[in-house]
Amino acid sequence: MTSFNILSIAGTDPSGGAGIQADLKTFSALGGYGMSVVTALVAQTTTGVREVHEVPPEFITSQLDTLLNDVRVDAVKIGMLGNTGVIDAVVRAIDDHRLPNVVLDPVMVAKSGDRLLAADAIEAVRSQLLPRADLVTPNLPEAAELLGEEEVHDLASMGEQATRLLTLGARQVLLKGGHLSGQSSTDLLVAAEAAPETFSAERIPTKNTHGTGCTLSSAIAALRPQRRAWFEAVRDAKNYLTEALRHADDLEVGHGKGPVHHFHAWWGEGVGERG
Ligand SMILES: Nc1ncnc2c1ncn2[C@@H]1O[C@H](COP(=O)(O)OP(=O)(O)OP(=O)(O)O)[C@@H](O)[C@H]1O
Ligand SMILES: Cc1ncc(CO)c(N)n1
C-alpha cells in the first residue's frame, strides 16, 4: 500500500480545534501520515487568543531542513506564519527542497478577531508565497486584504476576486464562502486552465466552527496525493469538513466557538456509542 507524508507548517492551538493540532487530526483521519513544523506557540482556546510566542526564523529553518533532509513530503499545508521572518524561512524551504502540492491557507485573523499575521507581513504573503502556492484558500476578508480591495459578499464578485488573485501568481484559488449569509456555504475554485467550480454545502446551524479553515486546507493537502486532480481533492475535503461540522455539537469542548468533530466525520453515525 502506498503511504503519503503530509506536512503542516503552522501555529498551535492547545484546545486542539485549530492550527497544527487540527491539521494532524485531519491528516490522520484521511489516511495521511502527519508531520508538523511549528511556527508559533499560541495561548488560545475556544474563546480566543491570549498570547502568541513567536518561534525564531532560524529555528523554523532548522526544523524544516532537519525534517526535509530525511523524509519525503508528498503535500504541504501552510497555515499561521505570524511575521515576515517566518515567511522568508518557509519560502527558502519550499525552494531548496522543491516542496510539492503546496496548499496555502493565508491565515490572518482568528475567528475570535485576534490577529495571527503582522499587518506588515501581508505584502510578503502576496509577493513571496502566492507565487509558490499550488492552491491558496483565503476566506473573504483575507482575499480582500491580499488584493487591497473591499470585502465582497456575493458569488459573482467572489469569482472576480478569485480571478484577480490568480494574477498575483497562485496556480489555483479556493475562495471560501463561510462568511457569506444564507442557507448554503459555498466555496469557489478558480484556476487559469479550467472552468470555475463551486462547492456548496448545507450551512450547518452551529456556533462550533473553530478551525473550519484549518481543517479544510489540511484535508485538501491530505487528499491531493490520493486523488487524480485538485478538483477531486477539494470536493472530498469539503464533504469531510461538512460532516465534521455536522457532528461538532456532539463534542463538549470549551465555552466559546468549539471545534469540529473529526472522529464522526470519518467513522460516521453511532461509532462513538459502540466503541
Ligand atoms: N456553518 C457552516 N456550515 C457549513 N459549512 C461551513 C460553515 N461555516 C464555514 N463553513 C465552511 O468551512 C470552510 C471554512 O470557511 P471559512 O470561510 O469560515 O474559513 P475561515 O474563516 O478561514 O476559517 P477559520 O476561521 O477556521 O480560519 C469553508 O468550506 C466554508 O464553506
Ligand atoms: C494557530 C492557528 N491557526 C489558524 C487559526 C485559524 O483561525 C487559529 N485560530 N490558530
Side-chain angles (χ1 to χ4, degrees), residues 104-121:
L104 171 66
D105 185 5
V107 172
M108 295 182 189
V109 177
K111 278 239 158 63
S112 52
D114 301 274
R115 280 212 79 89
L116 298 175
L117 180 73
D120 66 5

Side-chain angles (χ1 to χ4, degrees), residues 18 105 107 109-112 137-142 174 176-180 184-187 199 201-206 209-216 238 241-242 245:
D105 185 5
V107 172
V109 177
K111 278 239 158 63
S112 52
T137 64
N139 61 22
L140 297 176
E142 289 158 355
L174 181 70
K176 298 175 295 190
H179 296 236
L180 294 170
S184 57
S185 193
T186 302
D187 306 339
F199 301 88
E202 165 203 355
R203 183 171 291 279
I204 313 291
T206 176
T209 56
H210 182 54
T212 49
C214 302
T215 299
L216 181 67
K238 172 82 173 169
L241 170 64
T242 305
L245 264 166

Side-chain angles (χ1 to χ4, degrees), residues 100-273:
N101 295 326
V102 174
V103 179
L104 171 66
D105 185 5
V107 172
M108 295 182 189
V109 177
K111 278 239 158 63
S112 52
D114 301 274
R115 280 212 79 89
L116 298 175
L117 180 73
D120 66 5
I122 294 173
E123 175 51 31
V125 173
R126 187 186 297 127
S127 62
Q128 301 296 313
L129 278 176
L130 284 184
R132 290 174 168 85
D134 291 296
L135 175 69
V136 60
T137 64
N139 61 22
L140 297 176
E142 289 158 355
E145 280 279 2
L146 288 169
L147 290 166
E149 297 177 4
E150 292 294 309
E151 195 176 319
V152 300
H153 296 104
D154 64 273
L155 213 54
S157 312
M158 282 170 67
E160 289 164 15
Q161 285 206 333
T163 304
R164 282 197 287 279
L165 282 168
L166 283 183
T167 65
L168 294 177
R171 255 156 248 138
Q172 297 169 94
V173 177
L174 181 70
L175 186 45
K176 298 175 295 190
H179 296 236
L180 294 170
S181 51
Q183 294 294 305
S184 57
S185 193
T186 302
D187 306 339
L188 184 65
L189 179 67
V190 172
E193 67 281 6
E197 297 277 356
T198 52
F199 301 88
S200 201
E202 165 203 355
R203 183 171 291 279
I204 313 291
T206 176
K207 69 172 171 48
N208 297 321
T209 56
H210 182 54
T212 49
C214 302
T215 299
L216 181 67
S217 53
S218 295
I220 297 169
L223 289 169
R224 179 63 191 94
Q226 307 180 59
R227 297 291 184 272
R228 281 167 305 183
W230 282 99
F231 160 80
E232 294 178 7
V234 172
R235 176 197 62 200
D236 294 350
K238 172 82 173 169
N239 289 338
Y240 173 81
L241 170 64
T242 305
E243 283 311 300
L245 264 166
R246 209 186 297 288
H247 293 282
D249 292 354
D250 299 349
L251 295 172
E252 296 171 17
V253 182
H255 298 88
K257 289 179 197 286
V260 302
H261 198 332
H262 296 274
F263 180 74
H264 263 294
W266 182 245
W267 293 107
E269 203 77 56
V271 172
E273 288 83 59

